[in-house]
Amino acid sequence: MQYVDSDGSETHQEKPVEHVPGDKQETLGTTGQDLTATGQAAAHPQRPDGKVELTEDDAYEKLGYSYPEWKKWMILVTILCIQTSMNSNASMYGFGVDGISERYGVSTTKARLGQFLFLVTYAFGCELWAPWSEEFGRWPTQQLSLFLVNIWQIPSALAPNFGTLLVARGLGGLSSAGGSVTLGVIADLYQPEDTGFQYAVAFVILSSVGGAPVGAVIGGFVGQYRSFEWIFWVLLIMGGIVQVLHFFLVPETRATVLLDREAKKRRKNGQKNIYGPDELKEKRFSGREVARIWWRPFLMFFTEPIVLFLALLSGFSDSLIFTFLEAFTPVFEQWGFETYQIGLCFLSSLVGYILAYLTYLPVIWHHNKTRKVDPDRLSPESRLWWVLYLAPLLSIGLFGFSWTSLGPPQVHWIAPLIFTTIVGMANYAIYKSSIDYMIAAYGPYAASATGGNDLARDFLAGIAALYSHPFYENVGGEDRHLIYPSTILACLAVAVIIPIYIFYWKGPQIRLKSRFAQELEKARQARMQKRRSTIGEQGGLQGGHVEKV
């Protein structure tokens, strides 16, 4: 198949998709229904027990894809609140380090272990929760995660000793489902070719990266006017509110769960032989099956080149940002900023994220317009087109910040904030484009795929929590200890963004090595072709994507 890149100049030739045998085929779990050219449903494959599987095509109007647009955006706005609350757990903690150090008699470096443990266990929590959301559903998985995170805020605030605090922080991170589940919801609500798909991805990514600066702003005020325990009480209040919002406003979206529910309703109405896909699985939760479910996201991380390399790219970018933000306190203290004012400085990152989000909207509009002409015209690599231009801002922003960290009277404090905004634009672009690419490639298993991205981002950011403070204290001597560290990060950023260009130009060859992504793409295109054959004759095919009639 020929694909045209977003700039209209590059064409790629795809090879035929190979069949995935054995266990790999079972892992995909792709189901479908054969439709004839006249739109009539062909007979389902007959099972020995006489049971018939209810497929997506049989009950498409019951799935998240068919939710009205207002309902989809109600879910996405609630996800924004969840992401803000969860990501605040890491950023707010930094404003309690001095109080923790004083209360428990440990050094400030040791006090940062709480931040390190939360981020590292958060990285593995994303991977462990993601596959269960694909088995049990997004709603119960997210509810349980939010509940456990809220519970662990209590011993964090009331910890009688530093060891108890560390255990509570570690368990809090392990309980966090994070973006791997919330991003998987997008794949439940939109097909990759739907006009709203990329808008939804852009919005949810904004909520993912925006949570940290929002938490830092709140943490600045709490650190200024309250003891460190209030960091955890405020986090508990925020977590409780978003859990209630999620409980009442967000329905289940996972397709297999909704099909199981619809099958049960149909059996009650007399269709005795109709069963959902999960109902037909044998020995679903045997020891081997549980191990396979848990291993799935790690398997994808280590064996899928798309997941591995894009996750590492996004992870190193986030690590650089996390290290760089450690400079805020010593840099802005030069202008006499108080704690809450330093927290407000993090709004510059949020401004950068919003600006980058806005620049993506016309790109998405152009892509949707192109798909109306031909849904298959754009290659998956077109989703990386705009980041080619925004990614270099990472290095430019870090260079600019480093040499505007001289302090008064040489530099006004607004200068480093401007370059922080530029860095924020690049970080959003890298995260957004990599996630967008993976969700499109892995569809119903997007939660496991994007879990690898969160694994790399949180794990590397957790490590950065240990070295970033001494890095800005000891590198460069007394005169240049605020300049040289950021300059080093700017140089590293040049190397970090190189894989983006490799994926853009060599993506088709890399995808040919991913049998998992190829098989899912083959199944998706087959389903779309069936719907076009069925609905096209009824006049229901509109604007390059299928409307259920």
Side-chain angles (χ1 to χ4, degrees):
M1 179 179 295
Q2 293 288 335
Y3 286 117
V4 180
D5 286 330
S6 55
D7 58 3
S9 61
E10 183 71 17
T11 304
H12 305 296
Q13 181 71 35
E14 297 287 357
K15 295 180 181 179
V17 179
E18 299 178 4
H19 175 68
V20 180
D23 291 340
K24 197 68 171 181
Q25 177 70 17
E26 179 185 354
T27 302
L28 298 178
T30 305
T31 60
Q33 168 184 351
D34 293 332
L35 299 176
T36 65
T38 62
Q40 299 298 320
H44 287 267
Q46 187 67 34
R47 292 170 54 93
D49 55 10
K51 296 179 180 178
V52 176
E53 180 178 342
L54 186 69
T55 67
E56 289 188 6
D57 290 316
D58 296 327
Y60 195 77
E61 72 282 356
K62 301 295 183 180
L63 304 182
Y65 306 126
S66 299
Y67 287 166
E69 203 63 26
W70 67 264
K71 188 173 185 177
K72 292 182 179 180
W73 279 93
M74 179 182 68
I75 295 171
L76 295 177
V77 170
T78 306
I79 286 176
L80 181 146
C81 298
I82 293 173
Q83 291 293 105
T84 300
S85 173
M86 287 224 171
N87 291 331
S88 295
N89 272 282
S91 59
M92 286 182 66
Y93 182 90
F95 291 91
V97 165
D98 290 336
I100 292 171
S101 174
E102 182 179 351
R103 170 68 61 86
Y104 300 115
V106 298
S107 66
T108 55
T109 300
K110 193 172 183 179
R112 286 183 170 83
L113 283 173
Q115 196 171 30
F116 162 78
L117 280 176
F118 179 85
L119 286 167
V120 170
T121 54
Y122 188 2
F124 288 96
C126 290
E127 293 285 64
L128 295 175
W129 286 94
W132 293 110
S133 76
E134 295 165 350
E135 299 296 325
F136 288 109
R138 315 294 189 194
W139 192 91
T141 303
Q142 190 69 74
Q143 271 291 308
L144 181 59
S145 170
L146 291 170
F147 174 76
L148 291 175
V149 171
N150 290 335
I151 287 295
W152 296 120
Q153 304 294 2
I154 298 174
S156 296
L158 301 177
N161 53 62
F162 186 58
T164 301
L165 174 62
L166 293 182
V167 171
R169 290 289 290 174
L171 291 173
L174 200 62
S175 301
S176 301
S180 60
V181 174
T182 54
L183 288 168
V185 172
I186 299 176
D188 299 336
L189 299 177
Y190 296 95
Q191 299 280 10
E193 66 276 355
D194 288 347
T195 55
F197 174 79
Q198 285 187 284
Y199 288 115
V201 173
F203 182 79
V204 172
I205 293 301
L206 178 63
S207 71
S208 296
V209 297
V214 169
V217 172
I218 298 173
F221 282 96
V222 176
Q224 178 79 34
Y225 299 109
R226 290 290 184 269
S227 60
F228 81 90
E229 293 92 343
W230 274 96
I231 294 286
F232 305 110
W233 294 130
V234 170
L235 287 171
L236 177 59
I237 293 170
M238 293 171 60
I241 292 173
V242 298
Q243 183 170 2
V244 171
L245 290 175
H246 180 267
F247 187 93
F248 289 105
L249 298 182
V250 178
E252 181 56 64
T253 60
R254 175 67 175 169
T256 54
V257 174
L258 295 177
L259 289 172
D260 285 349
R261 293 178 181 177
E262 178 62 18
K264 292 175 182 177
K265 291 180 181 178
R266 295 189 182 191
R267 289 201 300 273
K268 289 182 178 178
N269 293 330
Q271 300 183 43
K272 300 298 184 181
N273 63 335
I274 298 295
Y275 289 84
D278 285 339
E279 291 182 300
L280 294 175
K281 291 182 179 179
E282 298 180 358
K283 299 181 179 179
R284 188 178 175 191
F285 297 115
S286 63
R288 182 178 180 181
E289 180 67 9
V290 169
R292 187 187 68 82
I293 291 171
W294 252 334
W295 177 242
R296 182 194 298 152
F298 295 99
L299 177 68
M300 295 181 72
F301 182 80
F302 289 112
T303 63
E304 291 291 315
I306 294 174
V307 176
L308 176 62
F309 290 111
L310 284 180
L312 291 177
L313 164 65
S314 184
F316 279 115
S317 170
D318 198 52
S319 178
L320 290 178
I321 299 299
F322 197 92
T323 306
F324 148 72
L325 294 179
E326 182 62 34
F328 270 43
T329 297
V331 167
F332 291 105
E333 279 181 346
Q334 297 176 109
W335 286 280
F337 279 31
E338 297 186 46
T339 302
Y340 79 93
Q341 292 173 313
I342 294 174
L344 288 171
C345 289
F346 284 81
L347 287 175
S348 59
S349 296
L350 184 60
V351 171
Y353 298 147
I354 294 174
L355 289 176
Y357 166 75
L358 294 176
T359 66
Y360 266 94
L361 298 183
V363 177
I364 296 171
W365 176 84
H366 173 70
H367 284 182
N368 287 335
K369 185 179 179 182
T370 303
R371 290 190 188 94
K372 287 182 179 181
V373 178
D374 181 1
D376 296 321
R377 186 177 181 185
L378 294 175
S379 73
E381 285 68 39
S382 66
R383 300 173 189 271
L384 301 175
W385 173 71
W386 187 231
V387 74
L388 300 180
Y389 300 95
L390 294 186
L393 295 179
L394 180 63
S395 184
I396 293 171
L398 289 171
F399 272 122
F401 182 88
S402 66
W403 293 99
T404 55
S405 300
L406 295 169
Q410 297 96 325
V411 181
H412 192 277
W413 57 265
I414 197 68
L417 289 182
I418 292 174
F419 286 105
T420 301
T421 300
I422 293 174
V423 171
M425 293 181 67
N427 189 37
Y428 174 89
I430 292 172
Y431 192 22
K432 189 270 178 190
S433 295
S434 61
I435 287 292
D436 193 5
Y437 192 50
M438 282 195 282
I439 291 178
Y442 293 103
Y445 288 93
S448 290
T450 56
N453 198 300
D454 284 338
L455 171 66
R457 288 176 69 88
D458 293 326
F459 184 80
L460 293 174
I463 294 176
L466 295 182
Y467 68 73
S468 55
H469 185 70
F471 181 59
Y472 272 95
E473 278 191 338
N474 302 322
V475 175
E478 293 184 4
D479 297 334
R480 302 297 187 192
H481 72 281
L482 297 180
I483 298 176
Y484 285 176
S486 296
T487 302
I488 293 172
L489 294 178
C491 294
L492 291 174
V494 175
V496 164
I497 64 175
I498 290 176
I500 294 173
Y501 300 91
I502 296 176
F503 266 91
Y504 182 73
W505 296 111
K506 300 295 183 181
Q509 293 91 321
I510 296 173
R511 283 189 289 111
L512 286 175
K513 298 178 182 179
S514 173
R515 306 179 81 183
F516 198 176
Q518 285 287 345
E519 185 69 15
L520 281 172
E521 177 63 16
K522 178 183 177 181
R524 184 190 67 82
Q525 291 190 8
R527 290 195 301 271
M528 282 302 301
Q529 186 59 43
K530 292 168 187 174
R531 293 195 189 104
R532 291 186 187 123
S533 300
T534 304
I535 301 173
E537 296 184 358
Q538 304 174 19
L541 187 59
Q542 302 175 0
H545 93 281
V546 177
E547 298 289 340
K548 186 70 178 177
V549 295

